[in-house]
């Protein structure tokens, strides 16, 4: 067990907070681990130029070391030093950075193999959260950071989630506000003339198409389908069953009324939980039902999803969680992808 310093921080504006950030930046430069808030989810950060720091990140998370890390930078100008950029990269960076978009590019030699899981590419992102940005800028090095959860748990969207998973395993936790978006960044592989969507997030497929045109954006099958057997995913992280609560998640697909009445037929079983839209909450047992937000509000659904999955972990009697299958449009595709992964892609038609 390490002794972890938990440092409250909110804006990076005051002198006191700047001083805390300077200490956290020193810790990163010295090879330590610092958890910090971002606009997507909290990240577990270490110096991306230090192969030993990367190894510590894998150890703290209990994560397989073939699953590569995203490096976080403080300014677009930093990118050229760490990856081979191209015109498409800058088009997308100008459109969506700072923000929840991660681009996979050929890496430069200064990025250690332990950061990229041995791949010759690196995932790079410029977060918009002011605390994240100030920390990276002060550290003066890119920060490698996976989501700050123990491997297999849902990504943390509040300081309480982080403390629960990582207190005693990292040097510092910057305990800030709840994550604004609540789902991890969109991950794309950037080629010369097109991009491939590997993980949907708040920069949506439609957003990418609006900048690049339809012919230039494709969606990898790992976004919507279960990865099986010999299939080698472009993004190693996608093969793991992430985002999993303790209970089994079962997605129900079909007409809205039939889905709801199927849930109601299971409502008397004390081992079932329900993760449904706000409009349907009142029709199911209140102690075992959580709301993702209104049907037409994927922003709220994204914001709440991981906190709901973690809340079910606090209810040990729940063995099965029923949820409706979200529409795969806009931000809904990201909500669908995370729920489907939590369900191991087990989707039942009603
Ligand atoms: O929003 C986010 O992206 C958060 C915050 C902290 O920035 N980070 C995050 O990191 O979600 P992580 O490690 O939990 O997810 C990174 C994903 C993994 O699925 C990984 O396999 C993929 O990105 N990835 C990273 N580098 C890659 C590469 N070189 N090639 C393909 N996939 C890569
Ligand atoms: Mg993660």
């Amino acid at each position: 067990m390490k002794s972890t310093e938990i440092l409250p921080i909110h804006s990076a504006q005051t002198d006191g907070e700047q001083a805390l950030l300077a200490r956290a930046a020193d810790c990163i430069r010295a090879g330590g681990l610092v958890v910090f808030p971002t606009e997507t989810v909290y990240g577990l950060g270490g110096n991306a130029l230090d192969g030993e720091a990367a190894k510590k990140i894998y150890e703290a998370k209990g994560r397989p070391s073939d699953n590569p890390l995203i490096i976080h930078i403080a300014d677009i100008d930093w990118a050229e030093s760490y990856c081979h950029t191209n015109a498409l990269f800058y088009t997308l960076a100008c459109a969506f950075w700072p923000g929840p978009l991660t681009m996979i590019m050929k890496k430069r030699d200064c990025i250690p193999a332990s950061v990229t899981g041995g791949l010759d590419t690196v995932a790079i992102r410029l977060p918009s959260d002011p605390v994240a940005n100030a920390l990276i800028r002060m550290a003066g090095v890119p920060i490698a950071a996976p989501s700050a959860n123990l491997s297999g748990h849902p990504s943390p969207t509040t300081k309480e989630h982080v403390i629960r998973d990582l207190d005693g395993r990292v040097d510092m936790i910057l305990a800030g506000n709840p994550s604004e978006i609540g789902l991890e960044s969109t991950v794309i592989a950037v080629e010369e003339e097109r991009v491939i969507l590997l993980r949907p997030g708040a920069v949506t497929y439609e957003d990418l198409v609006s900048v690049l045109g339809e012919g230039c954006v494709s969606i990898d099958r790992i976004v919507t389908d279960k990865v099986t057997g010999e299939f080698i995913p472009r993004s190693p992280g996608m093969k793991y069953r992430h985002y999993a609560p303790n209970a089994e998640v079962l997605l129900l697909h079909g007409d809205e009324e039939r889905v709801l009445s199927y849930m109601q037929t299971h409502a008397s079983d004390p081992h079932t939980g329900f993760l449904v839209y706000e409009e349907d909450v009142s029709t199911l047992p209140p102690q075992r039902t959580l709301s993702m937000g209104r049907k037409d509000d994927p922003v709220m659904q994204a914001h709440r999803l991981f906190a709901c999955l973690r809340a079910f972990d606090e209810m040990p009697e729940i063995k099965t969680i029923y949820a409706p299958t979200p529409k795969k449009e806009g931000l809904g595709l990201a909500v669908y992808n995370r729920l489907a992964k939590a369900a191991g892609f087990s989707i039942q038609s009603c």
Side-chain angles (χ1 to χ4, degrees), residues 36-44 72 125 127-133 136 145-146 156-157 177-185:
F36 61 99
T38 85
E39 71 278 20
T40 56
V41 299
Y42 276 75
L44 163 46
H72 298 71
R125 167 161 123 77
S128 62
D129 181 281
V131 172
N133 192 276
I136 303 162
T157 58
N177 300 323
S179 312
E180 185 191 330
I181 295 169
L183 294 182
E184 309 87 341
S185 62

Side-chain angles (χ1 to χ4, degrees), residues 26 78 81 109 121 197 223 231 235 239 268 312-313 323 334 336 340:
D26 284 346
W78 289 26
S81 309
D109 290 344
T121 53
L197 178 63
V223 170
F231 177 70
S235 186
K239 69 179 181 246
S268 59
F312 278 116
D313 282 346
Y336 165 84

Side-chain angles (χ1 to χ4, degrees), residues 48 68-73 79 81-84 89 102-112 115-117 119-125 142 144 187-190:
L69 307 174
I70 295 173
I71 72 164
H72 298 71
I73 57 175
S81 309
Y82 307 118
C83 68
H84 296 275
F89 172 90
T102 296
M103 294 194 255
I104 297 175
M105 310 300 300
K106 283 266 175 297
K107 82 174 189 73
R108 291 201 185 268
D109 290 344
C110 59
I111 302 294
V115 167
T116 63
L119 298 175
D120 64 355
T121 53
V122 63
I124 185 162
R125 167 161 123 77
V187 177
I188 57 174
V190 178

